[in-house]
Every structure is written in C-alpha cells, then in structure tokens.
Amino acid sequence: MEKREQLYEGKAKKVYATDDENLVIVSYKDDATAFDGLKKGTITGKGVVNNKMSNRIMQLLEKNGVPTHFVQELSDRDTLVKKVKIVPLEVIIRNISAGSFAKRFGVEEGIPFAEPTIEFSYKNDELHDPLMNAYHAVALGVATWEEIDTIKAMAFKINSVMKEFFLSIGVKLVDFKLEFGKTADGEIVLADEISPDTCRFWDAKTNEKLDKDRFRRDLGNVEDAYAEMMRRVFG
Ligand code: TMP
Ligand code: ASP
C-alpha cells in the first residue's frame, strides 16, 4: 500500500491517504511537544520506537479481544491503519498517582490505587484539554451513552492486558492516555498510539522514569529512556 496525499499533520504524526478509502497510513515523527505544544523539541529515534511499540501493543490487545485500528506495519515509521473518525475524548487510566492527578489533588506521586481510575478530557489544545465528565460529553454530542460505556469497558480491559504485559518486562504502568475512533461501519476501535509519549512507565525496581516525562520535566537521557523501553518490549 502506498502513500497518497497528506490528509493531516499532528504534533507527532502525519496521516496519508491510500488507494483504499477505508485505510490510511500514519507516519511517526521525532517531534516532541508538551504543555499543548508550548514546549517543542526533537527526540531522535522516537518515531521508530513509538511506531513499533504501539503496533506491538495493539497486536497484543487484538489477541485479547480489543478491536484496534492496526492493520499492518509498513516500515520503521509507517503503519497502515483503519481510517476512523476520532472521538474527541482523551481517556486517561491511572494505576498510581502522578502528573496532573497528583497536582490537582495535592498528593505525592507514586501512591498505588486499589482500583484503577478513569477520566476524560476534551481533546482541544486551545482549551488545554479540559477535564470532561460523561454527561458533558453526551450534552456536547461528543459521544452517546452507549459509546461511553463501550469506551470505558475497553479502556479497563486495555489496562489489565497492558499492566500485566509491562510488569512482565519490569515496568510499572503508572497511567496512560487512549484515543478511540469510529470506523466507517460505526465500530469503536482503539486508535492513535500507545507509547512512551502517551504512557507513564516506571522501572519496577528503581521507579526510574522511562517515558516522555524525561522530556516534559527536562530530566535528561530522553532518547535512552525510549531506547530502553524498545529493548524491553522487543527483548
Ligand atoms: P497527566 O497526569 O498530565 O494528566 O497525564 C496522564 C497521562 O496521559 C500520562 O501518561 C501522559 C498522557 N498524556 C498524553 O498522552 N497527552 C497529553 O497531552 C497529556 C497532558 C498527557
Ligand atoms: N503532547 C502534548 C502536547 O504537546 C502534551 C504532553 O504529552 O504532555 O500538547
């Protein structure tokens, strides 16, 4: 399958049309942003890591009964996926306190939860992705109640599959962000990516951060962290 015209360029990926109207090619860049695009940089090799890791995880999820947009890896940076309409909700699952949760509730990072939490935010950089509950999403026509229920069930299932997988490679899955899309025939599937850009990964023994927080917080060794996650996932 070959790339036709570019349909869209996001902060970390480009999307191209193909000869099949139901399929597009995503191409992963090394560009990194944080704080809704305010902080910009490059993480050399990130596009390759995110493409390959995301594809590996999506295939694992498919095997566990979770429908995803994944179709076929085409190269180091390019993947063929189902064309979807993205539901403009960022779905965040947390297993351990960190990031905006710790800040919002005035708690330290690293508190494990007895049960995972879920939250939605409205995918809109200009508004800084405001927190949104299910009633808000339905009121604004972002999703139906049925779609919200489907998304919630899929998100918790994804969490259990991923938590177990990452623990088996010595990584705590602290939290992560998911995006869902609707295919031409109306099916809700996992879309976007699953990578160190979209998950918090802590080494299970040392709690060393192995994700984009190294870039967000200027912790150094950013490329090393992505490479280490790649090494463990494909170990
Ligand atoms: P948060 O603690 O900043 O709300 O982030 C929660 C998770 O979501 C974390 O794993 C990083 C991920 N995330 C994104 O993928 N995109 C974003 O724009 C933000 C703010 C967080
Ligand atoms: N990628 C997001 C942005 O630039 C932020 C983040 O991942 O922290 O808005």
Side-chain angles (χ1 to χ4, degrees):
M1 195 67 74
E2 279 177 34
K3 283 181 195 164
R4 297 299 175 208
E5 76 274 16
Q6 184 179 306
L7 297 175
Y8 174 79
E9 177 162 9
K11 286 175 289 185
K13 297 187 284 296
K14 293 179 180 181
V15 181
Y16 296 89
T18 68
D19 291 333
D20 185 330
E21 62 176 2
N22 293 314
L23 299 175
V24 295
I25 292 172
V26 293
S27 188
Y28 286 73
K29 306 186 284 183
D30 285 350
D31 299 353
T33 63
F35 316 117
D36 307 317
L38 213 67
K39 181 184 171 95
K40 290 187 177 71
T42 302
I43 302 174
T44 306
K46 170 172 88 79
V48 178
V49 173
N50 288 10
N51 181 42
K52 291 186 167 283
M53 187 189 302
S54 193
N55 292 342
R56 169 76 181 84
I57 301 298
M58 296 244 183
Q59 287 173 86
L60 174 71
L61 291 168
E62 289 273 359
K63 235 191 281 169
N64 282 274
V66 178
T68 77
H69 71 168
F70 177 79
V71 177
Q72 189 192 353
E73 188 168 294
L74 300 176
S75 70
D76 274 2
R77 290 178 184 271
D78 293 352
T79 294
L80 186 65
V81 301
K82 290 176 190 159
K83 185 172 188 172
V84 297
K85 210 168 166 237
I86 291 286
V87 179
L89 280 179
E90 301 202 342
V91 180
I92 294 154
I93 297 277
R94 302 180 191 270
N95 296 303
I96 298 173
S97 67
S100 69
F101 181 97
K103 201 169 170 194
R104 172 172 297 118
F105 298 114
V107 297
E108 65 200 83
E109 296 196 308
I111 305 165
F113 303 145
E115 282 179 49
T117 68
I118 191 167
E119 71 208 38
F120 303 117
S121 56
Y122 184 40
K123 189 173 154 64
N124 185 319
D125 274 352
E126 260 169 57
L127 300 174
H128 307 292
D129 299 342
L131 208 60
M132 171 178 259
N133 69 29
Y135 289 86
H136 299 151
V138 172
L140 289 170
V142 163
T144 65
W145 282 111
E146 201 189 342
E147 287 166 352
I148 300 258
D149 285 346
T150 304
I151 286 171
K152 265 197 205 164
M154 284 172 72
F156 284 119
K157 171 77 186 177
I158 290 164
N159 184 46
S160 35
V161 173
M162 280 177 46
K163 224 167 58 176
E164 189 188 314
F165 171 73
F166 283 107
L167 209 53
S168 78
I169 56 170
V171 172
K172 285 184 201 169
L173 179 61
V174 174
D175 56 33
F176 56 95
K177 184 264 298 177
L178 302 171
E179 292 182 27
F180 293 87
K182 228 197 238 185
T183 62
D185 44 27
E187 190 190 13
I188 299 269
V189 300
L190 177 64
D192 195 48
E193 69 181 88
I194 295 184
S195 72
D197 273 23
T198 63
C199 305
R200 284 195 175 93
F201 297 128
W202 293 358
D203 180 86
K205 285 207 188 91
T206 65
N207 283 339
E208 186 193 355
K209 295 185 199 317
L210 296 171
D211 58 61
K212 195 178 169 188
D213 270 351
R214 302 205 71 88
F215 169 80
R216 295 187 187 102
R217 301 177 187 191
D218 296 318
L219 299 176
N221 300 326
V222 184
E223 278 88 359
D224 296 345
Y226 280 73
E228 177 60 19
M229 282 307 300
M230 179 83 152
R231 198 184 63 72
R232 292 196 195 188
V233 166
F234 291 95

